[in-house]
Amino acid sequence: MKAHVIYKNKRTALTLKQYAYYITYYKYNWHRDVELITLLEGEIEVNIHGKSYVMKEKDVMLINSNIGHATMARKPDSVAMVLHFSPEYFSHWFKEQPIFHLNSVEMACHGKMGAYEEIRQKMIQMTSYMELKSKSEEIIYESLFHSIIVDLFVHFPPHPDETYDALTTSGNEKIIKIIDYINNHFREKITLEVLQEVTGYNKSYISQIIKQHLGINYYEYLTRVRMREAIYSLTSTKERISDISFNNGFSDVKSFNTAFKERFGKSPSEYRKSLVHSQKQGSSNDKIYVELETLREILNGSSKKSSGPDSEKNLLQEQEKIDDSKLQEEILQEVTVEIAQLRNRFDKLAEKMDKLK
C-alpha cells in the first residue's frame, strides 16, 4: 500500500491530501491548495518567492495557495512528506473573507523552532491513521489536522488579502505561459528572442518574471528542465549517456557532464546507479509514492538507504569494522588467559627455586 490518502469531510468543506514520495527531478508546481512539506530523508532544493532554499531532514515549509514553486533532489532517495488542503477550508468560519494568506513557514527564519517541530510531529502522527480503517481513525486524523491549523494560527498568524488571489493568479498565468513553452520545446535552441516572439512579452520582462517567481534566470530553468528529462532517461532507459545528452537539448556530452556535476556533485553514470527508485516512473512528471511500510521504517529510523554501490560499500566497511573489533576482543581474551597461565607457571617455578636454596 502506498503512503497516499485523500480525506474529505463535505460538511466542513475540508479536503486533505497527504502523501510521502521520492523527490527526484526539478519540477515546477502551481495549485490552489496550501501545502505543508517536511523532509524525512536526504536533501532538496526548493525555489519559492524568488528565493532558493535548501531543505534538510526535519525541516518544514509552508507554501501558500497559488504560489509557484519548484523542487529538486540534491541527494539520491530524498523523501518528503506533504500535506495539502484547500484555502476554502476557512470559509466554514469566515463567511465574508474565505481566503486567507498564511505566513510562510520558511525554515527557521522566524526563530520558532519548537513550532516547526510540533507541526512536523503532528504530520507524522497523521500517517498512523492514513488507512482510515474506522470512524474513530477518521476523527483522530482530522483532529490532528485541526491541531496543525491551531499551531499555524498561533505561531504564524494568517491575514486576509482581497487582492492576493487575483494578483497571484494573473502572475502565474504569465509565468506558466513561458514555462509551458520551455517544457514543450526544451530539446530545441531557446533564446530570449525566441521566447519574446512566441509569448509576446518583452525580453527584459521575461527575465524579470522568471527571476521573480523562481529565483533563477531563464537559461538555468531551461537547463534544469533538460536535466529533468535527462535524469529520467538515465534511470528509466538503457540509452547511452552521449545519446541522452543530445536527445535532451545539450550541445555535447561535455556540457551535459559539466552541468550535471555542478548540480549533483557526481557524474551521470554515478547518478544513474544511485537513483534506484526512478525506474518505477511512467514519465518524468510522475510522482513515486513511498510504500506505507517503508514510510513507517523511515519514521522509526530503521529505513534501508539506497542499495546502490556506495551504500553496499559503506555496509561492508561497517561490517569489517565490527569483525575487526570482535577479532581484537578475542585476541585480547586469549592473551589475557595466556599471561595468567604464564604467571601461574612462573609462581610455581619461583617456589621450586626457593626450595632448592
Side-chain angles (χ1 to χ4, degrees):
M1 179 179 176
K2 303 294 184 184
H4 180 279
V5 65
I6 297 176
Y7 171 81
K8 293 185 178 182
N9 185 332
K10 294 181 180 179
R11 185 177 58 82
T12 58
L14 173 64
T15 298
L16 295 177
K17 183 190 292 183
Q18 187 178 19
Y19 55 87
Y21 74 114
Y22 295 99
I23 292 183
T24 51
Y25 320 118
Y26 188 80
K27 294 178 182 176
Y28 181 79
N29 300 292
W30 172 58
H31 46 70
R32 291 274 299 164
D33 288 349
V34 178
E35 177 177 326
L36 269 170
I37 178 171
T38 183
L39 196 64
L40 303 178
E41 285 191 337
E43 184 176 291
I44 66 172
E45 179 182 329
V46 182
N47 297 118
I48 180 174
H49 296 312
K51 298 179 181 179
S52 291
Y53 299 90
V54 175
M55 288 188 73
K56 299 184 179 181
E57 293 179 18
K58 298 185 179 181
D59 283 339
V60 178
M61 181 177 285
L62 182 143
I63 302 171
N64 276 290
S65 172
N66 286 329
I67 293 293
H69 55 283
T71 55
M72 180 181 71
R74 291 166 59 98
K75 291 183 179 180
D77 294 333
S78 292
V79 179
M81 181 162 61
V82 174
L83 180 64
H84 281 247
F85 67 94
S86 170
E88 278 77 20
Y89 160 77
F90 296 117
S91 65
H92 185 66
W93 292 277
F94 306 99
K95 304 298 182 184
E96 296 179 0
Q97 179 58 54
I99 304 299
F100 274 75
H101 182 189
L102 288 156
N103 286 334
S104 294
V105 186
E106 295 173 351
M107 317 301 278
C109 60
H110 299 292
K112 298 179 184 290
M113 292 299 294
Y116 296 105
E117 184 58 25
E118 286 177 22
I119 292 168
R120 179 177 174 276
Q121 286 300 324
K122 285 167 186 173
M123 289 175 68
I124 289 172
Q125 280 183 274
M126 289 175 72
T127 64
S128 299
Y129 306 96
M130 286 181 83
E131 296 176 81
L132 303 172
K133 294 179 179 178
S134 64
K135 285 295 180 183
S136 297
E137 289 201 352
E138 290 182 16
I139 292 170
I140 296 170
Y141 187 79
E142 185 172 333
S143 296
L144 286 167
F145 167 72
H146 290 309
S147 183
I148 289 174
I149 295 298
V150 170
D151 289 334
L152 291 173
F153 268 59
V154 171
H155 300 291
F156 310 97
H159 57 85
D161 191 339
E162 295 178 359
T163 61
Y164 171 75
D165 191 58
L167 288 175
T168 51
T169 302
S170 174
N172 275 313
E173 287 174 353
K174 293 176 181 178
I175 186 67
I176 286 173
K177 185 176 181 179
I178 298 169
I179 284 173
D180 280 348
Y181 182 83
I182 293 176
N183 286 343
N184 292 323
H185 298 84
F186 64 90
R187 293 182 176 88
E188 305 167 13
K189 184 177 180 179
I190 300 179
T191 63
L192 282 172
E193 286 76 15
V194 171
L195 290 175
Q196 177 177 269
E197 184 177 342
V198 298
T199 63
Y201 304 141
N202 183 274
K203 287 191 297 183
S204 59
Y205 179 72
I206 292 171
S207 296
Q208 178 186 347
I209 197 170
I210 292 178
K211 183 73 174 178
Q212 179 183 344
H213 280 77
L214 296 179
I216 54 179
N217 60 40
Y218 96 94
Y219 187 74
E220 174 63 16
Y221 180 77
L222 172 60
T223 302
R224 291 187 182 194
V225 171
R226 288 170 172 169
M227 195 72 67
R228 178 190 71 198
E229 300 301 321
I231 292 174
Y232 175 72
S233 297
L234 278 169
T235 55
S236 303
T237 73
K238 295 183 179 180
E239 289 181 57
R240 294 182 303 176
I241 290 175
S242 58
D243 292 334
I244 289 172
S245 64
F246 289 120
N247 292 340
N248 291 287
F250 292 94
S251 57
D252 51 50
V253 178
K254 183 178 179 181
S255 64
F256 176 47
N257 280 330
T258 300
F260 206 99
K261 286 186 177 180
E262 284 178 354
R263 289 159 180 79
F264 302 104
K266 58 182 66 181
S267 69
S269 59
E270 290 171 331
Y271 199 90
R272 189 176 222 168
K273 294 175 182 177
S274 63
L275 278 176
V276 296
H277 296 281
S278 298
Q279 70 270 18
K280 297 177 183 177
Q281 291 178 274
S283 76
S284 60
N285 288 316
D286 289 349
K287 281 186 173 69
I288 316 165
Y289 296 112
V290 175
E291 295 289 337
L292 190 55
E293 184 179 348
T294 303
L295 174 62
R296 286 168 179 163
E297 289 177 354
I298 291 171
L299 297 178
N300 290 330
S302 58
S303 67
K304 295 178 181 179
K305 301 289 184 177
S306 168
S307 58
D310 291 340
S311 297
E312 290 178 2
K313 183 179 178 182
N314 290 337
L315 288 172
L316 287 172
Q317 289 175 343
E318 289 299 321
Q319 188 59 49
E320 286 174 359
K321 288 179 182 178
I322 294 170
D323 292 342
D324 288 342
S325 178
K326 287 182 178 179
L327 181 60
Q328 289 175 3
E329 186 177 345
E330 289 172 358
I331 292 172
L332 182 60
Q333 289 176 349
E334 290 175 1
V335 170
T336 301
V337 171
E338 288 178 1
I339 290 173
Q341 291 174 344
L342 287 170
R343 283 178 176 172
N344 187 44
R345 288 178 62 188
F346 180 80
D347 290 341
K348 289 182 178 179
L349 285 171
E351 290 176 3
K352 289 180 179 179
M353 289 178 67
D354 286 339
K355 290 179 180 179
L356 289 173
K357 291 178 181 179

